[in-house]
Amino acid sequence: MNDARYVVSVRALCEFTAKQGDLDLRFTPSPTAQEGIAGHAVVASRRDDNYRSEVTLAGDWGPLHVRGRADGYDPDRNLIEEVKTYRGQFARIPDNHLRLAWAQLRVYGHLMCEELGMDDVNLALVYFDIGTQQETLLRETRTRADLAALFEDQCRRFVAWAEQELAHRGARDAALTALRFPHADFRPGQRQLAEAIFRANAGKRSLLAQAPTGIGKTVGTLFPVLKAAPGQELDKVFFLAAKTPGRQLALDAAATLKSGGTLPLRVLELSARDKACEHPDKACHGDSCPLAQGFYDRLPAARDAAANAGMLDRAALREIGLAHDVCPYYLGSEMVRWSDVVVGDYNYWFDGGAMLYALALERGWKVSVLADEAHNLVSRARSMYTATLQRADLRAARAVAPPVLHKPLDKVKRAWTDVSKSAPLPYQVLDGLPDKFLNALQGAASAITEHMAAFPVPLDPELQDFYFGALQFGRLAESFGAHSLFDVTREDERNTTLCIRNVVPASFLGPRFAYAHSTTLFSATLSPWHYFADLLGMPADTAWIDVDSPFTASQLDVHVAHGISTRYQARASSLAPIAALMADQYHEKPGNYLAFFSSFDYLQQVADRFERDHPDIPAWRQARRMSEPERADFLARFVAGGRGIGFAVLGGSFGEGIDLPGERLIGAFVATLGLPQVNPVNEQLRQRMQAMFGVGYDYTYLYPGMQKVVQAAGRVIRTEQDRGVVWLIDDRFARPDVRALLPAWWHVDKAAF
């Protein structure tokens, strides 16, 4: 063993060694983070003046350096306290929760005895009920020798794993230092991107990277971060994507870097629970699900197998989990702690309850974050920090709720009515949040929580949906500010919708950018950079790069049909000329084309006219709410040597993230600027953008619309051998401010059509 130290938190040490028995999610303390902090403050305020809160403690055992913060210490009573906040019945806290809490407290007791030279110490678990504000105390007294023996036992049970992890880290960093790019050479633009990301990590800065499709962005981003990892002492790399195909590309890139098996890199894919669950008809506890029963008893063997697997995609996690009779989903959650590269959705880092962000904070990880197709992040982040409640959902919840919940739900109903009366318009933004309604909603959520603790059976789906919505609404109400709107939408006298609508996610995402060693957002459409920097809250020193395109203007003929308007009021007159333009282009060069429209209604109108006027040209349409097999069938029509036109909606399933190289797609028609619909919500958004940034129209309509246009047109040229044509159909494409948002390598011809 060398002199390297393995730093581990008290909580992480005890979670590894003291968790036993079943996985049990029936009792999950529900206080929000703010309520938990407030609960700890209440407990501390009840103590004497000499009471010390958040006492930092540390100690060593062999190669282990164990550190943490005890919640409180009373020197007058020689008492260390560990405070836990909860709701519901204390008697229903599972034994394995209590064992874990005692293990942590006893480690703190040992560290305190060693620091102060005490012969013994008093220990107390303090369970603080957020609802009743009452404390339940469990106490014991331990000698210094007892605690030292317990601490040594914990460390002995962990040290073999720690030594294995130190050896893995050393081998990983040595291999990454010597890592070579996995291909003979970089593609054009790929080296430029990789060097910018390496410099950003070396300088501890964030980066916005606009890089064209087709240069190998996934390998071009993952490789430089891994090369930087040893020098920057990175613990983890998080690769985040908006959709499943992006995550698969990251797994493929990691596999390419690991080719030959010489790179000791642990790569983990995180999947949604509903996709990874083996028993969706069962609840997550040992009395219901066989993979939850004895989960923590069988976890060590499963963890060993997973750590030695290297590539832990969804299929590998399932195979290992079932081989050891543990839940694959929660095995994946465990392996986050022991993986080098974690691939998952945006929400694992950017959402309010993001698992990766919470673990990084708790464990002090140094992480580098890569976010693919980052033009999606503004809309995704807004949805993460938006909460909506519908009156019909309250009625549905009340209809199935047990009698004990009728009174608190009726209070919500009455408070909701008062809010509706104060907003008589079909759509209205209120100046602030209604306290009476929020209090009633919090009371109902607390009552449901207490009911769940008393009767640990699944809630009816209608009551559960309302409950989760109420919790989200309450969490966002705690942080309500200028970044969000509170609006009321009235369908009729009985049906209203209340919404805390986030419009600027910056205040929520800013701490995540600040915590990460480096964050790189990359996409083919990240222009203008200040739009993303402003709305996402990126650091002031964020770097920006527009990667040179490997494609040339000779590969793509770009035409503007400036004689046609696709504005709503001009749509009826646009149908015939659009159909004629598409037919002329097809007859000039037969092959596969995609045609994009602003809505399904517009798509249907043009497609109907096209099929009537040009029945000789094969055509197929995107339908609303297509299933995965239906989407696959749509794309299957685009074969090399095929002919026809697929009609699709801009910004939908076929507007980005699909790859149809060569003759599979030779052209696209974009019959819209992609501008979001002008409606009361977007107009409120425009006003807020204007007030905050002075560019309300651009931030609300123009930039989001043109990003979708460029993404759709980007389906045509995928490789340096591709040739194709794009028709931009609308007179507004001829405007200088619109043309400035198109890729610099395009040569745009204003056709006279």
Side-chain angles (χ1 to χ4, degrees):
M1 185 73 202
N2 58 30
D3 295 331
R5 289 199 313 170
Y6 189 96
V7 180
V8 60
S9 69
V10 171
R11 178 173 176 175
L13 173 68
C14 295
E15 283 182 345
F16 190 94
T17 59
K19 277 192 171 181
Q20 301 173 7
D22 296 350
L23 175 70
D24 192 341
L25 300 187
R26 287 175 293 186
F27 183 92
T28 303
S30 62
T32 65
Q34 289 85 347
E35 287 174 330
I37 293 170
H40 279 69
V42 170
V43 172
S45 70
R46 295 172 176 176
R47 305 303 188 250
D48 296 336
D49 291 342
N50 290 334
Y51 187 81
R52 295 165 54 195
S53 296
E54 297 289 319
V55 182
T56 299
L57 297 167
D60 297 309
W61 191 91
L64 302 181
H65 179 68
V66 183
R67 63 187 184 189
R69 285 198 301 268
D71 289 330
Y73 176 61
D74 185 343
D76 296 334
R77 295 186 294 164
N78 191 25
L79 175 68
I80 302 175
E81 292 185 325
E82 177 74 6
V83 180
K84 305 292 185 183
T85 57
Y86 76 103
R87 277 200 181 97
Q89 295 186 14
F90 174 79
R92 292 197 177 272
I93 300 176
D95 288 341
N96 57 5
H97 284 233
L98 292 170
R99 282 197 298 269
L100 177 60
W102 273 121
Q104 291 178 232
L105 181 55
R106 288 163 183 161
V107 171
Y108 288 132
H110 163 74
L111 298 176
M112 184 71 80
C113 284
E114 294 301 311
E115 180 173 306
L116 299 182
M118 301 183 299
D119 293 330
D120 54 47
V121 67
N122 299 312
L123 306 174
L125 286 179
V126 182
Y127 279 87
F128 181 77
D129 189 324
I130 290 293
T132 66
Q133 301 282 292
Q134 298 298 309
E135 298 177 28
T136 299
L137 272 71
L138 306 176
R139 299 188 57 168
E140 69 175 23
T141 299
R142 290 276 185 166
T143 67
R144 181 176 182 176
D146 285 344
L147 293 172
L150 290 170
F151 178 70
E152 182 173 341
D153 178 63
Q154 298 280 83
C155 291
R156 284 189 186 279
R157 293 161 62 191
F158 181 69
V159 71
W161 183 270
E163 290 175 339
Q164 170 189 295
E165 291 303 291
L166 283 171
H168 167 75
R169 178 64 172 264
R172 185 204 77 172
D173 285 353
L176 291 179
T177 300
L179 182 65
R180 303 295 299 269
F181 192 66
H183 304 297
D185 199 0
F186 289 89
R187 297 183 190 176
Q190 199 176 39
R191 180 185 292 276
Q192 185 185 10
L193 173 64
E195 290 177 347
I197 292 175
F198 185 89
R199 287 194 300 270
N201 279 269
K204 303 178 183 180
R205 299 174 67 189
S206 290
L207 174 69
L208 279 164
Q210 180 166 275
T213 299
I215 68 167
K217 290 197 294 291
T218 311
V219 170
T221 54
L222 190 55
F223 171 74
V225 175
L226 292 175
K227 282 295 290 182
Q232 299 303 314
E233 299 182 337
L234 298 180
D235 297 304
K236 313 277 182 189
V237 176
F238 297 151
F239 191 105
L240 311 174
K243 299 176 182 177
T244 301
R247 297 194 290 277
Q248 187 58 52
L249 287 173
L251 294 171
D252 293 343
T256 298
L257 291 166
K258 283 170 60 70
S259 61
T262 58
L263 179 60
L265 193 71
R266 296 179 187 156
V267 181
L268 170 70
E269 178 188 16
L270 293 177
S271 301
R273 186 164 66 176
D274 60 346
K275 293 184 178 180
C277 181
E278 289 293 316
H279 299 288
D281 59 325
K282 295 178 172 59
C284 293
H285 58 79
D287 295 335
S288 176
C289 180
L291 298 180
Q293 189 177 61
F295 175 87
Y296 290 110
D297 300 328
R298 294 190 294 273
L299 178 60
R303 183 169 51 210
D304 284 342
N308 290 318
M311 284 294 293
L312 288 173
D313 59 9
R314 179 176 160 189
L317 280 171
R318 182 176 188 270
E319 181 180 350
I320 295 169
L322 296 184
H324 292 83
D325 292 325
V326 299
C327 172
Y329 173 78
Y330 286 102
L331 175 60
S333 298
E334 168 69 18
M335 293 311 298
V336 168
R337 297 156 175 79
W338 319 112
S339 297
D340 305 304
V341 177
V342 181
V343 178
D345 187 85
Y346 292 160
N347 65 284
Y348 284 107
W349 180 256
F350 291 113
D351 191 77
M355 176 177 66
L356 294 180
Y357 180 59
L359 280 172
L361 285 177
E362 172 199 322
R363 307 221 166 185
W365 291 335
K366 184 181 285 189
V367 302
S368 185
V369 179
L370 298 170
D372 190 13
E373 300 293 354
H375 61 278
N376 291 294
L377 191 53
V378 171
S379 60
R380 282 288 303 276
R382 282 173 170 164
S383 66
M384 291 174 192
Y385 297 98
T386 291
T388 300
L389 293 173
Q390 295 184 335
R391 188 66 177 262
D393 292 340
L394 173 60
R395 289 196 296 270
R398 173 65 165 76
V400 299
V404 70
L405 297 179
H406 287 177
K407 184 176 180 180
L409 290 173
D410 288 342
K411 285 184 178 180
V412 176
K413 175 184 174 181
R414 291 191 293 271
W416 197 317
T417 298
D418 291 343
V419 175
S420 298
K421 288 179 179 178
S422 69
L425 300 178
Y427 175 81
Q428 197 163 345
V429 174
L430 302 186
D431 291 336
L433 298 175
D435 291 337
K436 181 180 177 182
F437 173 77
L438 291 177
N439 291 335
L441 190 67
Q442 183 180 30
S446 298
I448 297 171
T449 301
E450 291 164 7
H451 173 76
M452 292 170 61
F455 303 96
V457 295
L459 296 175
D460 284 290
E462 295 83 1
L463 182 58
Q464 178 176 283
D465 289 345
F466 176 78
Y467 174 59
F468 289 157
L471 291 177
Q472 172 73 346
F473 205 94
R475 283 191 290 267
L476 291 178
E478 292 176 346
S479 57
F480 185 77
H483 50 69
S484 299
L485 306 170
F486 175 60
D487 57 35
V488 182
T489 303
R490 179 186 299 276
E491 298 176 23
D492 53 47
E493 288 302 316
R494 295 188 73 239
N495 293 296
T496 55
T497 299
L498 307 181
C499 184
I500 296 177
R501 188 183 310 277
N502 178 255
V503 294
V504 181
S507 62
F508 297 108
L509 303 192
R512 285 149 172 78
F513 292 119
Y515 178 84
H517 178 82
S518 176
T519 302
T520 297
L521 307 186
F522 61 100
S523 169
T525 49
L526 279 185
S527 182
W529 67 269
H530 56 79
Y531 168 81
F532 295 95
D534 286 346
L535 295 188
L536 298 177
M538 302 194 73
D541 65 346
T542 296
W544 156 256
I545 182 174
D546 190 357
V547 177
D548 296 336
S549 175
F551 311 132
T552 64
S554 63
Q555 291 181 252
L556 184 66
D557 295 327
V558 183
H559 306 294
V560 173
H562 62 82
I564 301 175
S565 171
T566 63
R567 296 171 180 84
Y568 184 80
Q569 59 271 26
R571 284 186 183 170
S573 60
S574 74
L575 304 182
I578 291 176
L581 183 155
M582 292 168 60
D584 287 350
Q585 174 61 46
Y586 179 86
H587 286 129
E588 179 182 334
K589 189 172 180 57
N592 290 324
Y593 293 83
L594 269 169
F596 294 97
F597 300 88
S598 56
S599 67
F600 279 103
D601 288 341
Y602 197 20
L603 181 156
Q604 299 293 355
Q605 292 175 41
V606 177
D608 288 346
R609 181 60 181 258
F610 183 82
E611 290 178 352
R612 190 191 80 184
D613 294 352
H614 308 283
D616 58 312
I617 302 176
W620 55 99
R621 310 181 189 188
Q622 178 183 356
R624 300 177 191 268
R625 294 177 291 277
M626 292 176 81
S627 65
E628 285 194 24
E630 288 171 333
R631 290 197 294 270
D633 289 342
F634 182 93
L635 290 175
R637 300 285 296 269
F638 293 88
V639 296
R643 296 186 177 187
I645 300 177
F647 287 73
V649 171
L650 192 71
S653 303
F654 308 112
E656 62 177 88
I658 63 169
D659 200 22
L660 301 170
E663 292 185 356
R664 293 186 66 190
L665 184 69
I666 66 167
F669 307 95
V670 184
T672 172
L673 263 69
L675 305 181
Q677 183 183 13
V678 177
N679 57 35
V681 173
N682 283 333
E683 281 300 284
Q684 287 291 331
L685 182 64
R686 181 186 61 77
Q687 292 177 26
R688 186 62 58 89
M689 296 296 98
Q690 185 65 34
M692 297 181 72
F693 305 112
V695 279
Y697 175 80
D698 289 351
Y699 275 27
T700 306
Y701 295 106
L702 183 59
Y703 297 160
M706 289 302 296
Q707 287 158 18
K708 288 186 283 188
V709 168
V710 175
Q711 279 289 328
R715 301 310 95 201
V716 178
I717 302 298
R718 310 297 292 175
T719 74
E720 294 173 66
Q721 290 73 44
D722 287 354
R723 298 290 185 273
V725 61
V726 167
W727 278 91
L728 304 175
I729 306 173
D730 193 281
D731 59 281
R732 289 168 290 181
F733 282 115
R735 285 173 17 195
D737 61 327
V738 174
R739 294 275 292 275
L741 298 173
L742 300 176
W745 66 273
W746 287 10
H747 175 73
V748 182
D749 170 40
K750 286 201 299 180
F753 200 98

